[in-house]
């Protein structure tokens, strides 16, 4: 023991300690515990949710998603920064809007990226697509809006004829042909890969492909698994596995007003969590908070043997506390 | 005075060799509560070991291999154990007011470790390449976008999240753990609060 430690612990009974042995046993015990848990309970690994799955199970939902991207009403089409200049998900508290300040840094034109781009890449394989695509592109905005509107209105009454979706309207211009081609493409399982094409072989950024199913398709799957944000979703794992329990405070905020009701809920949660974390880091310097351990004397349980041994007042050498 | 000599003398002052690995400690540390820190560290060792195995085999391996899935399960349960014991350690240190007598930096590095660990676990969830990753990325992106950092820390960019998870954050964690343990050994274990005590002069964390 150094001279400094000798002074620091003066008046306290010393015992032999073996930190290396303690660490070794702790590591061994932890290894056994974790191996047991891994062997008994395994770990969750639900496969990714794909456009192919939606195309097969709920073709109308995928068509609806594509239509939303085309007419600019989809979750991403109207999102706002960093993807585009929409305002659907733009968050601001008065003049405070870091999202707006950061600007559009990952541009996503939903109609082009999610629908028209992939269909254009299919033209060499399906030349019949060229004509409806050209018709849509050359149509005035008002005509295109009329087609989209007519198609959207008739979509709830759609029926399947084999693998084709039949939407009962004659006023949707080239949309029926385009949507059936889109469904066929999604059914192959290649839609996400085509959306993600970047002209290079290697790819590690799946932003665009992942954004495709944002909105109703993924929400409905998550809702079935009780993983939605208003159901403590951020701290849950699929199935009966423990999730990120340590996010309880962050997740809690999403359950209560004003966080759960504000259009700037995420911004408010982020700022609150930041402030609370700062307070936690500064607890030792905050009167009131730093007094809690003295008021809730858990320390008497932790050091109960010390207190039992030393019923006499402590020596003045280390009497800062009393 | 050379830089080397300055550093050596600083180390000798801050942490004398005998205090780095002491073989004598005050009797009041003889409690299970003092094991929470070392158990957290043990879970971190297992996390790094299983993480290295998973990284060496590549991020897809554990989806297609039974052994890979088992190693992933070890990683998964190590995370749970890591946070379980870390939170117990944090609460224990709080109720011991372990920041007393110049130990404020120990507390701050502990809180930093907690925050960086949350980010590390978060990027781990995002690196799984399964439904969990897909859902968490799409749900979580709104918070980061709302704070204006979504393009610098893009949850949907697997390469970026994987890099953070297997290199950047583990390095930051290891560094913070080293500083935390250095401070614990340098300052020694905090003395017990004497009953009926209230914070007063000399208690300042500084």
């Amino acid at each position: 023991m150094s001279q400094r430690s000798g002074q620091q612990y003066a008046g306290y009974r010393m015992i032999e300690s073996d930190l290396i042995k303690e660490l070794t046993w702790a590591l061994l015990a932890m290894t056994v515990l974790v191996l047991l848990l891994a062997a008994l309970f395994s770990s969750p690994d639900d496969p990714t949710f794909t456009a192919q799955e939606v195309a097969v199970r709920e073709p109308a939902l995928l068509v609806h998603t594509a239509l939303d991207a085309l007419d600019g009403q989809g979750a991403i089409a109207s999102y706002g920064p960093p993807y585009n200049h929409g305002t659907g998900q733009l968050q601001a508290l008065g003049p405070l809007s870091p999202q707006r300040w950061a600007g559009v840094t990952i541009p996503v034109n939903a109609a082009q990226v999610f629908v028209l781009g992939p269909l254009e890449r299919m033209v060499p394989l399906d030349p019949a697509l060229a004509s409806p695509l050209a018709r849509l592109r050359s149509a005035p905005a008002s005509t295109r809006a009329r087609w989209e509107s007519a198609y959207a209105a008739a979509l709830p009454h759609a029926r399947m004829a084999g693998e084709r979706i039949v939407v009962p309207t004659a006023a949707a211009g080239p949309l029926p042909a385009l949507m059936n081609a889109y469904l066929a493409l999604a059914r192959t399982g290649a839609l996400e890969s085509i959306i993600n094409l970047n002209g290079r072989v290697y790819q590690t950024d799946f932003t665009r492909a992942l954004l495709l199913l944002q909105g109703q398709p993924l929400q409905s799957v998550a809702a079935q698994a009780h993983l939605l944000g208003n159901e403590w979703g951020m701290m849950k794992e699929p199935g009966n596995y423990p999730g990120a329990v340590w996010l309880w405070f962050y997740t809690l905020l999403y359950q209560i007003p004003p966080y759960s009701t504000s259009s700037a809920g995420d911004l408010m949660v982020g700022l609150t969590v930041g402030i609370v974390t700062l307070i936690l880091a500064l607890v030792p310097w905050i009167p009131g908070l730093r007094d809690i351990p003295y008021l809730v004397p858990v320390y008497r349980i932790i050091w109960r043997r010390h207190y039992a041994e030393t019923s006499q007042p402590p020596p003045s050498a280390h009497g800062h506390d009393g | 005075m050379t830089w080397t000599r300055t550093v050596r003398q600083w180390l000798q002052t801050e942490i004398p060799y005998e205090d780095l690995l002491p073989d004598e400690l005050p009797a009041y540390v003889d409690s299970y509560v003092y094991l929470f820190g070392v158990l957290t560290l043990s879970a971190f060792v297992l996390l790094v070991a299983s993480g290295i195995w998973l990284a060496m085999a590549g991020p897809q391996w554990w989806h297609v291999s039974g052994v890979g899935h088992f190693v992933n399960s070890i990683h998964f349960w190590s995370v749970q154990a890591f946070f379980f014991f870390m939170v117990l350690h944090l609460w224990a240190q709080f109720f011991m007011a372990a920041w007393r007598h110049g130990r404020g930096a120990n507390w701050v590095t502990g809180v930093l470790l907690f925050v960086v660990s949350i980010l590390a676990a978060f990027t781990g969830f995002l690196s799984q390449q399964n439904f969990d990753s897909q859902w968490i990325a799409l749900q979580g992106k709104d918070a980061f976008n709302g704070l204006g950092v979504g393009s610098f820390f893009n949850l949907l960019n697997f390469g970026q999240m994987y890099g953070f998870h297997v290199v950047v954050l583990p390095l930051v964690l290891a560094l913070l753990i080293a500083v935390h343990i250095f401070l614990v050994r340098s300052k020694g274990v905090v003395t017990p609060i004497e009953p009926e005590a209230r914070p007063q002069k000399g208690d300042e964390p500084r």
Side-chain angles (χ1 to χ4, degrees):
Chain A
M1 188 165 57
S2 70
Q3 193 181 357
R4 191 178 67 166
S5 294
Q7 287 169 355
Q8 184 187 352
Y9 300 135
Y12 291 98
R13 184 170 69 82
M14 302 300 285
I15 54 171
E16 189 178 69
S17 142
D18 193 342
L19 291 177
I20 298 294
K21 187 173 164 187
E22 190 181 292
L23 177 62
T24 307
W25 278 110
L27 190 55
L28 269 174
M30 187 59 67
T31 306
V32 170
L33 173 71
V34 164
L35 283 177
L36 268 176
L37 288 167
L40 287 175
F41 302 113
S42 187
S43 54
D45 187 21
D46 291 2
T48 44
F49 183 60
T50 62
Q52 184 182 31
E53 221 173 314
V54 191
V56 172
R57 287 190 194 168
E58 284 188 83
L61 180 56
L62 188 69
V63 168
H64 191 271
T65 303
L67 197 63
D68 274 350
L70 277 180
D71 66 14
Q73 291 175 22
I76 297 303
S78 61
Y79 190 96
Y83 310 123
N84 48 48
H85 295 286
T87 54
Q89 285 282 334
L90 182 61
Q91 306 201 17
L93 288 170
L96 180 71
S97 181
Q99 189 175 0
R100 187 186 294 123
W101 302 338
V104 178
T105 49
I106 308 172
V108 178
N109 175 340
Q112 180 61 30
V113 169
F114 296 147
V115 187
L116 299 177
L119 288 176
E120 279 161 4
R121 288 186 183 274
M122 295 307 294
V123 170
L125 298 173
D126 182 5
L129 260 178
S131 165
L133 266 174
R135 197 176 161 206
L136 186 76
R137 286 218 178 273
S138 60
S142 57
T143 307
R144 195 166 146 169
R146 205 173 58 244
W147 289 339
E148 287 160 356
S149 170
Y151 195 83
L155 190 56
H157 311 290
R159 63 179 176 80
M160 294 303 293
E163 292 191 335
R164 293 182 62 79
I165 188 165
V166 180
V167 178
T169 174
L175 286 177
L178 292 175
M179 288 299 137
N180 271 305
Y182 194 69
L183 267 182
L185 171 58
R187 238 182 261 115
T188 66
L191 179 56
E192 283 95 335
S193 301
I194 291 176
I195 287 173
N196 248 15
L197 283 176
N198 61 1
R200 297 183 294 273
V201 174
Y202 287 100
Q203 170 64 284
T204 59
D205 180 0
F206 302 101
T207 301
R208 292 174 165 198
L210 284 169
L211 287 174
L212 169 70
L213 298 179
Q214 157 91 22
Q216 208 188 333
L218 205 60
Q219 294 276 336
S220 58
V221 178
Q224 285 167 18
H226 305 289
L227 291 172
L228 292 179
N230 58 9
E231 292 182 283
W232 299 78
M234 283 306 281
M235 57 181 277
K236 282 187 190 169
E237 277 281 306
N240 290 322
Y241 287 94
V245 184
W246 44 91
L247 292 179
W248 70 268
F249 179 70
Y250 172 78
T251 314
L252 165 74
L253 294 178
Y254 280 101
Q255 319 306 313
I256 53 173
Y259 304 96
S260 59
T261 51
S262 168
S263 60
D266 292 308
L267 177 57
M268 290 168 69
V269 168
L271 292 174
T272 305
V273 168
I275 292 167
V276 169
T277 305
L278 192 63
I279 290 172
L280 180 66
L282 298 177
V283 158
W285 293 274
I286 301 176
L289 286 180
R290 69 177 180 188
D291 301 340
I292 292 174
Y294 296 86
L295 304 172
V296 185
V298 176
Y299 69 87
R300 292 192 193 203
I301 302 168
I302 295 171
W303 286 311
R304 62 189 179 283
R305 274 188 282 181
H306 166 75
Y307 298 131
E309 278 180 19
T310 57
S311 49
Q312 298 298 313
S316 58
H318 47 83
H320 313 299
D321 299 300
Chain B
M1 180 67 89
T2 63
W3 290 10
T4 306
R5 207 172 295 141
T6 306
V7 170
R8 192 178 63 217
Q9 286 181 357
W10 177 76
L11 282 171
Q12 280 169 348
T13 310
E14 286 301 312
I15 184 157
Y17 189 62
E18 310 93 290
D19 287 351
L20 187 63
L21 284 173
D23 55 6
E24 260 195 321
L25 284 174
Y28 59 77
V29 304
D30 188 17
S31 160
Y32 288 115
V33 171
Y34 285 87
L35 286 177
F36 296 150
V38 77
L39 286 168
T40 310
L41 185 62
S42 302
F44 181 72
V45 171
L46 288 177
L47 270 174
V48 171
S50 54
I52 287 174
W53 195 345
L54 287 170
M56 282 174 65
Q60 306 269 347
W61 173 61
W62 75 281
H63 297 291
V64 295
S65 153
V67 177
H69 193 99
F70 184 66
V71 178
N72 181 74
S73 301
I74 293 173
H75 202 63
F76 176 85
W77 287 105
S78 298
V79 178
Q80 297 293 334
F82 177 72
F83 274 98
F84 180 77
F85 288 110
M86 179 190 266
V87 170
L88 284 179
H89 178 64
L90 190 151
W91 280 116
Q93 299 311 309
F94 175 79
F95 282 115
M96 291 194 280
W99 50 75
R100 286 171 295 132
H101 312 315
R103 291 178 178 79
N106 297 37
W107 176 265
V108 173
T109 51
V111 172
L112 276 176
L113 270 166
F114 184 54
V115 172
V116 177
S117 298
I118 287 175
L119 273 179
F122 189 58
T123 51
F125 282 112
L126 295 170
S127 300
Q128 295 176 103
Q129 297 203 321
N130 57 15
F131 176 72
D132 213 13
S133 308
Q134 188 179 14
W135 175 242
I136 292 172
L138 285 168
Q139 277 287 89
K141 77 177 189 318
D142 296 337
F144 287 83
N145 288 342
L147 289 166
V149 296
S151 52
F152 314 110
F153 193 77
N154 179 8
L155 310 193
L156 307 169
N157 183 341
F158 167 76
Q160 190 188 22
M161 294 302 107
Y162 191 65
F164 264 97
H165 184 66
V166 303
V167 178
V168 182
L169 294 171
L171 274 180
V172 175
L173 274 180
L175 185 68
L176 280 172
I177 288 172
V179 172
H180 192 65
I181 292 175
F182 175 87
L183 288 169
V184 171
R185 292 269 58 92
S186 169
K187 299 286 181 186
V189 281
V190 73
T191 52
I193 299 171
E194 294 308 331
E196 313 306 331
R198 290 289 180 274
Q200 53 183 272
K201 201 167 191 311
D203 276 358
E204 291 87 354
R206 283 189 287 274

